[in-house]
Amino acid sequence: MKFTFVLCCFSFCEKNFPNGDVYNGTLKGVVPNGKGKYSWMDGTTYDGEWEEGKMTGKGKMFWTPGAMYEGDLSGGYIHGFGTYTSSDGSVYSGAWKMNSPHGIGRKQYQNSDVYDGCWKEGVREGIGRYRWGNGNMYVGNWKHGKLCGRGVMKWSHGDVFDGSWLEGLRHGYGCYRFSDGSYYFGNWTKGLKDGRGTFYPAGHGDLSSRRCSSLRLEDKRKRLVSHGSSVSSEESVKPNAKRSLSEKISNRFLRSSGSISRRSSLNDQCSLNVSTRELISSDTSCEPSQFYDEAPGEVDNNTIACEREYMQGVLIKEWIRKIAKSKNKLSKFHGNEVKKKSCVDFFEGHKSYLLMLNLQLGIRYTVGKITPVPTREVRPSDFEQRARIKMYFPRKGSQFTPPHHSIDFYWKDYCPMVFRNLREMFKLNPAEYMMSICGDDGLRELSSSGKSGSIFYFSRDDRFVIKTLKKSEVKVLLKMLPHYYEHVQHHENTLITKFFGLHRIALRHGKKVRFIVMGNMFCTELRIHRRYDLKGSTHGRFTNKDKIDEGTTLKDLDLTYEFHMDKLLRQSLFK
């Protein structure tokens, strides 16, 4: 009986539909199941595996204009890994999600351009390398299909730009190396030089090359704008297919048009970023540092530099100054300074990237756990030693934590109810807070310009700063927390630093990293021309004029301005 029933349920046949479509293959009842070929009346065909009426497994899809797909499908969608050849001759090979390139992939365009890197819902997003047919090449970050963030552009005629981009234009701080060996370090605004910069003529390459190698430190210290490309955003590669079969059987096969607006999870994004880094690093020709490997040789004891000031691309001021070469100072930095960086010693390179993933996982867990708790007044016990949330995050996941692509770690959240109420008093939405720090775009790492050796992260929207702390600093913060909380209760518009969370990460072998989440006071659409570190003292509080550029943080005696304020605003400020 059982054997006879199976024969009746699964059969191989040719089925003709009233609209002219034809199916040849195995059926389960009245729907395709197993292997089969479906031909639409317009000539489109699919030959491959089926599961209960949906294209699932390996298969080939052919469209009448000449387009073809071969690879994985799931639930009627192109999903997994496969190769799509469009009718114009362009070829995409890589990961797919719901009919759109999503993940790591390579696309060869009809005009001989080639892109290798990250995709998200059909457009270039993440880390990637783009080679134009004319020889130009860009390696760096993308967003919404455009150059966005830190990246290096190398033109076929020899010029190189290493810096920040915004929607295809140079925007932010960067280094431009001309083909004749001269350099320009400065700021750009929407493709135009804007503000102060330094120009080094050709022949002074030793100093210029050294500054290019330290550009990473410069742009971290200066709060780069993360943005990007002259390559316009392209339409998602979404094959079209008729839906007539889904009307005859159980469900649709392919979505005919429109984008699938589904965001990948944090774990998907982590895997994506790690894979991309491996992909980019596998080809040393595309590393930004390779563009500056040409050693121009020795220079005189004094290097001539031109200080320039631009306004929207127009040179308005220029003066010459000499810069003494200081190899001893440079070697001192590389030798002694690094030894002070206890956190950096462990979390350098990819390990610092893993720390970032741990932060995101922990903050997502903390916000998700504390937000549903009913709002209540903070009690004295909420400030005590017992007011902690602790959780273990194994790589494979647990009953309470998701699997992840980082390393095993322990998470501690200090005074969660206190900081939850602080975020509410600062009118910070929990969902916005979590998405800003834990979203798909990740965090941007910066280095410290001071002596603390702390690691800094900026959220991609620049709203939040995350800074590592010493154990002694955490103790001071926890001791003053009750008074801080009371102050914020009475002055919600306070101008002092806003603290949103205090956390700790501990690795299995005992290494511990503590960090604080703060509001970024420099988050503004305006370009900041000057920055001052004011301590209320005059003792040594000035900066050598020869060392001042647009990124220099100035001191008390450098502040020569008078501020005229509205009377009511002045009273409110002093209060």
Side-chain angles (χ1 to χ4, degrees):
M1 287 290 293
K2 186 175 182 180
F3 181 73
T4 306
F5 175 75
V6 171
L7 287 178
C8 293
C9 285
F10 294 92
S11 60
F12 183 88
C13 67
E14 177 176 324
K15 187 173 180 65
N16 297 301
F17 296 95
N19 64 353
D21 295 350
V22 179
Y23 174 75
N24 287 278
T26 57
L27 294 171
K28 181 181 180 181
V30 295
V31 297
N33 196 86
K35 290 189 176 181
K37 181 177 180 180
Y38 192 96
S39 300
W40 282 265
M41 185 176 62
D42 65 355
T44 303
T45 62
Y46 169 75
D47 189 359
E49 299 174 349
W50 298 77
E51 184 176 312
E52 296 183 353
K54 298 178 182 179
M55 293 178 282
T56 301
K58 302 287 185 181
K60 294 182 180 179
M61 193 84 182
F62 299 90
W63 289 268
T64 47
M68 180 188 74
Y69 172 79
E70 181 176 1
D72 298 329
L73 297 100
S74 178
Y77 295 93
I78 295 177
H79 191 93
F81 186 89
T83 301
Y84 176 79
T85 304
S86 65
S87 56
D88 64 3
S90 59
V91 179
Y92 171 80
S93 181
W96 293 77
K97 181 179 179 181
M98 305 291 286
N99 286 357
S100 298
H102 188 95
I104 305 299
R106 174 186 179 90
K107 183 167 183 179
Q108 296 175 282
Y109 296 86
Q110 182 187 21
N111 59 0
S112 300
D113 293 355
V114 179
Y115 173 76
D116 289 280
C118 274
W119 297 78
K120 182 177 179 181
E121 296 180 2
V123 296
R124 297 179 291 272
E125 183 148 337
I127 303 172
R129 178 188 65 214
Y130 196 104
R131 294 179 183 269
W132 283 266
N134 60 8
N136 298 341
M137 181 174 69
Y138 171 82
V139 182
N141 289 287
W142 298 75
K143 192 175 183 69
H144 304 312
K146 298 182 179 181
L147 282 67
C148 185
R150 174 71 186 278
V152 180
M153 174 73 81
K154 185 175 184 179
W155 286 270
S156 57
H157 54 70
D159 288 2
V160 178
F161 175 77
D162 182 355
S164 187
W165 298 78
L166 172 63
E167 295 185 353
L169 301 172
R170 294 182 288 275
H171 189 91
Y173 187 79
C175 166
Y176 195 103
R177 189 193 74 182
F178 298 89
S179 57
D180 63 359
S182 56
Y183 292 79
Y184 178 79
F185 296 84
N187 285 278
W188 278 260
T189 300
K190 295 183 179 180
L192 300 175
K193 291 180 181 137
D194 195 22
R196 289 190 177 185
T198 306
F199 175 76
Y200 295 93
H204 301 290
D206 183 62
L207 178 62
S208 303
S209 180
R210 202 159 64 219
R211 281 204 65 178
C212 277
S213 65
S214 66
L215 177 62
R216 191 169 302 153
L217 298 177
E218 290 281 351
D219 65 8
K220 289 176 182 178
R221 181 171 61 87
K222 288 175 179 270
R223 179 187 169 261
L224 279 178
V225 181
S226 297
H227 301 298
S229 151
S230 55
V231 182
S232 59
S233 177
E234 63 185 76
E235 298 252 343
S236 301
V237 184
K238 294 177 183 174
N240 294 325
K242 282 196 171 182
R243 301 171 61 185
S244 56
L245 181 59
S246 62
E247 297 168 2
K248 295 292 180 182
I249 45 183
S250 63
N251 213 330
R252 63 186 173 214
F253 285 51
L254 284 176
R255 183 164 296 183
S256 59
S257 64
S259 61
I260 311 297
S261 298
R262 297 194 179 185
R263 294 190 173 273
S264 59
S265 66
L266 176 63
N267 294 329
D268 292 339
Q269 189 68 18
C270 296
S271 175
L272 191 70
N273 290 339
V274 171
S275 302
T276 309
R277 288 169 184 267
E278 294 172 356
L279 180 147
I280 297 298
S281 62
S282 65
D283 184 357
T284 57
S285 65
C286 69
E287 295 178 3
S289 60
Q290 297 293 322
F291 296 152
Y292 301 107
D293 282 348
E294 305 162 12
E298 293 296 324
V299 296
D300 299 330
N301 291 332
N302 292 299
T303 298
I304 301 298
C306 299
E307 294 294 333
R308 295 177 175 177
E309 186 169 353
Y310 290 85
M311 181 178 290
Q312 296 183 353
V314 178
L315 180 62
I316 60 175
K317 189 187 297 184
E318 182 179 46
W319 62 99
I320 307 297
R321 68 184 176 97
K322 290 186 178 181
I323 302 175
K325 193 169 64 172
S326 54
K327 291 185 178 179
N328 294 335
K329 184 177 180 180
L330 191 66
S331 61
K332 179 181 178 182
F333 169 79
H334 287 292
N336 299 333
E337 288 281 331
V338 174
K339 293 180 181 179
K340 299 178 182 178
K341 301 188 177 183
S342 57
C343 295
V344 179
D345 285 345
F346 184 82
F347 288 107
E348 280 193 358
H350 289 291
K351 293 181 180 178
S352 179
Y353 173 74
L354 297 179
L355 173 62
M356 182 193 76
L357 299 185
N358 294 353
L359 300 184
Q360 292 180 308
L361 286 165
I363 290 176
R364 175 172 287 189
Y365 172 82
T366 294
V367 176
K369 185 177 180 64
I370 197 69
T371 300
V373 177
T375 304
R376 62 170 174 80
E377 288 294 325
V378 169
R379 305 163 185 161
S381 59
D382 293 321
F383 296 94
E384 295 179 356
Q385 183 70 25
R386 293 175 297 176
R388 309 285 190 269
I389 292 179
K390 298 180 181 180
M391 183 55 62
Y392 177 53
F393 282 78
R395 184 185 178 95
K396 295 182 179 179
S398 67
Q399 180 181 356
F400 304 102
T401 63
H404 56 86
H405 297 271
S406 184
I407 51 182
D408 298 347
F409 68 97
Y410 294 89
W411 173 262
K412 178 187 279 190
D413 188 28
Y414 294 89
C415 305
M417 184 57 70
V418 175
F419 285 103
R420 178 256 181 91
N421 282 19
L422 283 173
R423 292 193 292 267
E424 288 186 354
M425 284 191 283
F426 290 133
K427 298 178 175 57
L428 180 59
N429 182 278
E432 292 180 3
Y433 178 64
M434 186 168 63
M435 288 306 300
S436 179
I437 296 177
C438 308
D440 295 339
D441 290 339
L443 301 171
R444 194 171 75 252
E445 182 183 350
L446 291 90
S447 65
S448 172
S449 57
K451 299 179 181 179
S452 65
S454 298
I455 297 177
F456 286 83
Y457 292 99
F458 272 49
S459 61
R460 286 293 176 178
D461 57 8
D462 285 324
R463 292 181 63 187
F464 305 103
V465 181
I466 301 175
K467 177 190 176 184
T468 58
L469 300 177
K470 298 176 183 177
K471 185 177 181 180
S472 59
E473 294 173 322
V474 172
K475 289 183 177 179
V476 172
L477 181 58
L478 290 174
K479 186 177 181 180
M480 67 176 243
L481 191 57
H483 303 288
Y484 176 84
Y485 184 86
E486 183 181 358
H487 174 81
V488 175
Q489 274 188 312
H490 292 92
H491 308 281
E492 292 186 11
N493 294 323
T494 178
L495 297 180
I496 65 175
T497 303
K498 296 180 180 179
F499 296 123
F500 300 120
L502 181 62
H503 315 285
R504 189 189 76 182
I505 288 174
L507 305 181
R508 296 190 65 177
H509 58 270
K511 184 71 178 181
K512 297 177 181 178
V513 181
R514 303 160 184 87
F515 60 95
I516 184 76
V517 184
M518 305 177 288
N520 178 19
M521 62 185 297
F522 292 117
C523 183
T524 173
E525 295 296 325
L526 302 175
R527 186 166 70 87
I528 299 173
H529 297 77
R530 298 287 185 274
R531 286 184 175 87
Y532 292 87
D533 175 21
L534 305 177
K535 297 185 181 299
S537 171
T538 58
H539 182 67
R541 301 295 297 165
F542 65 92
T543 308
N544 191 326
K545 293 184 179 181
D546 292 336
K547 297 180 180 179
I548 295 177
D549 58 32
E550 190 165 347
T552 303
T553 300
L554 304 172
K555 301 178 182 178
D556 298 69
L557 295 178
D558 302 318
L559 187 64
T560 58
Y561 300 103
E562 290 185 357
F563 297 93
H564 298 272
M565 304 180 67
D566 177 82
K567 186 176 180 179
L568 294 177
L569 179 60
R570 180 183 183 277
Q571 292 174 353
S572 176
L573 176 64
F574 275 78
K575 181 181 178 180

